[in-house]
Amino acid sequence: MKTAIFTWLFLLPLQIYATTYSARLSENMIPKAPQSQELTGAMDAMNLELISSAEQEEANGNFQAIAVSQEKHIQKLKSQLAHKNHEIYSQELEQWKFQTSTLIFFVGMLLFAFLYIRSKIIPTQPEMARVSNLYSQEK
């Protein structure tokens, strides 16, 4: 594409010079003028075809570059989304850990409170004394 544009720009001065030269020839030689105009018209048509094909190639290249760029952006967004999902799941796991540990602590405190209150309400008799009394009587 760059080559086609460079070639066209390189040949443009030659085309302009040839056009002025053919105009001078047409003044001198009337019968040969239509041929030079036909050649100039043909050259113009060829240049237009070159330019249009170069523009099409440039457009195709631009579309491919845009597609590659968007694919990179999509991959970046996917990785960021995966990272955010991981952060959310880790936060939920931490929250679940704290809730579970709080529940276990609360149930444990209720159990210890129940055992403490029960020990204060119902006096326990020393069982060790009985065991020692029984042991001494058997001898």
Side-chain angles (χ1 to χ4, degrees):
M1 176 185 76
K2 290 179 182 178
T3 308
I5 293 173
F6 176 75
T7 306
W8 181 78
L9 288 174
F10 182 74
L11 295 177
L12 184 64
L14 293 176
Q15 181 182 358
I16 293 170
Y17 179 76
T19 305
T20 57
Y21 183 75
S22 67
R24 279 188 265 149
L25 274 178
S26 65
E27 291 175 0
N28 294 336
M29 300 180 192
I30 294 175
K32 291 188 178 179
Q35 288 179 349
S36 66
Q37 287 177 356
E38 288 176 6
L39 289 175
T40 306
M43 256 182 117
D44 286 340
M46 287 175 49
N47 284 338
L48 288 175
E49 289 176 14
L50 273 172
I51 291 171
S52 65
S53 66
E55 287 175 353
Q56 288 176 351
E57 289 176 12
E58 181 180 354
N60 288 341
N62 287 343
F63 288 135
Q64 289 174 352
I66 290 170
V68 168
S69 172
Q70 286 185 350
E71 185 66 31
K72 288 180 183 177
H73 287 296
I74 288 170
Q75 293 299 326
K76 185 187 288 185
L77 290 173
K78 282 182 180 180
S79 68
Q80 288 176 351
L81 179 64
H83 181 70
K84 289 293 181 183
N85 283 340
H86 178 69
E87 286 180 1
I88 290 170
Y89 292 141
S90 65
Q91 288 175 354
E92 286 177 353
L93 180 64
E94 289 293 321
Q95 185 179 10
W96 180 80
K97 285 179 184 178
F98 286 127
Q99 288 175 350
T100 306
S101 61
T102 304
L103 179 67
I104 290 171
F105 179 74
F106 179 71
V107 170
M109 291 305 292
L110 282 179
L111 180 66
F112 287 130
F114 172 74
L115 292 175
Y116 178 75
I117 292 171
R118 192 177 104 191
S119 69
K120 290 295 181 182
I121 292 176
I122 304 172
T124 58
Q125 299 173 352
E127 295 181 15
M128 291 298 285
R130 283 188 200 171
V131 172
S132 63
N133 288 339
L134 290 175
Y135 184 69
S136 62
Q137 289 177 359
E138 289 178 4
K139 285 186 180 180

